[in-house]
Amino acid sequence: MSAHASHRLPPRPLPPRLTPVRRARRVLTLTLLMCALPVVISFLTTVSGPSNSSFTINAVEWLRDHGAAGFASSVESVYYSFNAPGTGGPALKRLRLYGHAVAAVHPPDVAPLLHPALPGEGVWTPTETWSGATPPVQITQFRTDPNYPQMVAGVAWIDPRRTSIVLYPGQLEPSVTLPRGPMEVPPSL
């Protein structure tokens, strides 16, 4: 026997054959992974895409858009039941909008729900001054709940005689592949 033949390693034994149950388990696992891949890609594309919202909000909205609206609402209900804002607290002394001009023509003021009313509460304020005494958009603020005296609602009124409604789809919403037209309000308007 030559010296070269003595260094030969014995052949490796073949791995044991998979039982039918283990083979079926592997096939099922690979199938599930392949089916989950488009879902994972869709989710990651949504939460990592351009947005003004946080990861959590994007994730919940993705769930809503993909058939899990009931689940998303249940999760939100549980979350808010544990993280509800505290009631009471010190009352506000003033509102941010107080002190601005009041337009000559405006809708009836909003009756305050909490008393005493803060200065300017429920009074309509123009959003701009360049359009004269009758601005097309006016806003007001008022407190809506005695249990949460620091919560303030903001409302906008748009003069229907001076405005028209036109839909300009955004860059991402609505998510359709139809011809979109302009994706912003034209500067001339």
Side-chain angles (χ1 to χ4, degrees):
M1 190 184 256
S2 72
H4 194 273
S6 65
H7 293 287
R8 185 179 280 174
L9 297 174
R12 284 191 327 188
L14 292 173
R17 288 186 58 90
L18 291 176
T19 64
V21 172
R22 289 188 71 182
R23 182 177 297 125
R25 189 180 309 152
R26 283 189 182 178
V27 168
L28 180 64
T29 301
L30 286 173
T31 303
L32 290 175
L33 287 173
M34 288 174 44
C35 289
L37 187 62
V39 173
V40 170
I41 290 171
S42 170
F43 178 78
L44 292 176
T45 302
T46 299
V47 297
S48 65
S51 174
N52 292 334
S53 301
S54 68
F55 170 84
T56 305
I57 292 172
N58 287 336
V60 169
E61 290 306 314
W62 182 88
L63 287 172
R64 285 188 202 291
D65 292 343
H66 290 84
F71 174 73
S73 294
S74 298
V75 168
E76 285 178 333
S77 294
V78 170
Y79 173 82
Y80 288 125
S81 69
F82 289 115
N83 296 295
T87 59
L92 295 175
K93 304 250 188 281
R94 64 188 220 72
L95 297 173
R96 273 189 44 224
L97 292 179
Y98 177 65
H100 292 267
V102 176
V105 177
H106 59 81
D109 289 339
V110 177
L113 302 174
L114 277 70
H115 297 283
L118 297 173
E121 188 168 10
V123 176
W124 293 100
T125 304
T127 57
E128 45 74 21
T129 56
W130 52 264
S131 63
T134 57
V137 180
Q138 298 181 44
I139 55 176
T140 189
Q141 292 180 321
F142 58 95
R143 296 168 294 160
T144 60
D145 190 341
N147 292 322
Y148 300 98
Q150 295 185 345
M151 299 291 186
V152 177
V155 182
W157 174 78
I158 302 172
D159 187 348
R161 296 167 296 172
R162 299 187 54 207
T163 57
S164 61
I165 297 175
V166 179
L167 175 64
Y168 289 98
Q171 182 179 2
L172 301 175
E173 294 291 333
S175 57
V176 295
T177 57
L178 301 173
R180 300 182 71 81
M183 291 186 280
E184 65 181 347
V185 176
S188 62
L189 299 177

